[in-house]
Amino acid sequence: MQKLYLTLILLIITNTINSQSIFGKWYSTNEETGEIDSVIEVYKKQEKAFAKIIEIKNSERRNAVCDLCKDKNKNKPILGLNILNGLERDGEEWSGGTILDPRNGNVYKCYIQLVQKDKLKIRGYLGLALFGKTAYWQRAK
């Protein structure tokens, strides 16, 4: 009986920890239409946060390439593209990395922060964080 209780407690703790993490799958919303346009997976590699596009909802855009991107991402498929690179944990936020906007090909400094259990704040900016744009991703179900 004690093993059963211990197992249940461990499952609850694991579930709570995982649900309060930036890591996992997130819905990105098109700011013009308000509709979900892609699913982003945030993952950890060598103690840093990264993210890639793992699903594009619009079937007409699934084979799109990042034609506006520069350098190594030029003309790469958007599906599977790493858009968040090298963020390090700093207290409650992850910062020090970059985010790529495949819609315009621009790369911005950024930070991300879990503001609610299922809501991730992403702030991309040039220079100072004061001059940028904030987006919110919802945790994918």
Side-chain angles (χ1 to χ4, degrees):
M1 194 59 137
Q2 286 180 333
K3 286 182 181 182
L4 178 62
Y5 287 130
L6 183 60
T7 302
L8 285 174
I9 290 171
L10 287 174
L11 283 173
I12 292 169
I13 290 171
T14 302
N15 193 26
T16 302
I17 290 170
N18 287 338
S19 67
Q20 294 182 3
S21 168
I22 64 165
F23 302 109
K25 296 176 183 175
W26 299 89
Y27 292 129
S28 174
T29 305
N30 182 312
E31 50 190 57
E32 293 176 13
T33 66
E35 294 182 9
I36 296 169
D37 62 359
S38 60
V39 179
I40 312 294
E41 182 174 22
V42 179
Y43 62 95
K44 189 185 235 182
K45 181 175 152 184
Q46 298 174 348
E47 298 305 312
K48 294 185 179 183
F50 296 84
K52 63 183 173 182
I53 299 172
I54 61 168
E55 183 179 346
I56 297 174
K57 295 293 187 178
N58 182 342
S59 60
E60 295 174 9
R61 301 264 314 138
R62 288 190 183 132
N63 295 320
V65 296
C66 196
D67 54 352
L68 297 175
C69 288
K70 297 148 187 80
D71 301 329
K72 66 179 183 177
N73 290 319
K74 178 81 173 162
N75 294 321
K76 278 194 173 179
I78 293 174
L79 187 61
L81 191 64
N82 266 321
I83 60 166
L84 203 70
N85 290 294
L87 279 78
E88 296 179 350
R89 188 175 194 143
D90 183 14
E92 293 297 314
E93 72 179 32
W94 291 73
S95 60
T98 60
I99 188 164
L100 165 68
D101 185 345
R103 292 181 189 99
N104 61 26
N106 291 331
V107 177
Y108 304 95
K109 293 179 182 179
C110 77
Y111 70 84
I112 61 176
Q113 182 178 19
L114 192 66
V115 292
Q116 293 176 3
K117 181 177 94 165
D118 292 330
K119 189 174 185 179
L120 189 64
K121 176 183 178 180
I122 300 93
R123 178 89 177 153
Y125 57 93
L126 293 171
L128 301 173
L130 179 66
F131 304 108
K133 185 170 91 174
T134 300
Y136 292 93
W137 293 347
Q138 295 294 318
R139 193 176 297 276
K141 303 295 180 205

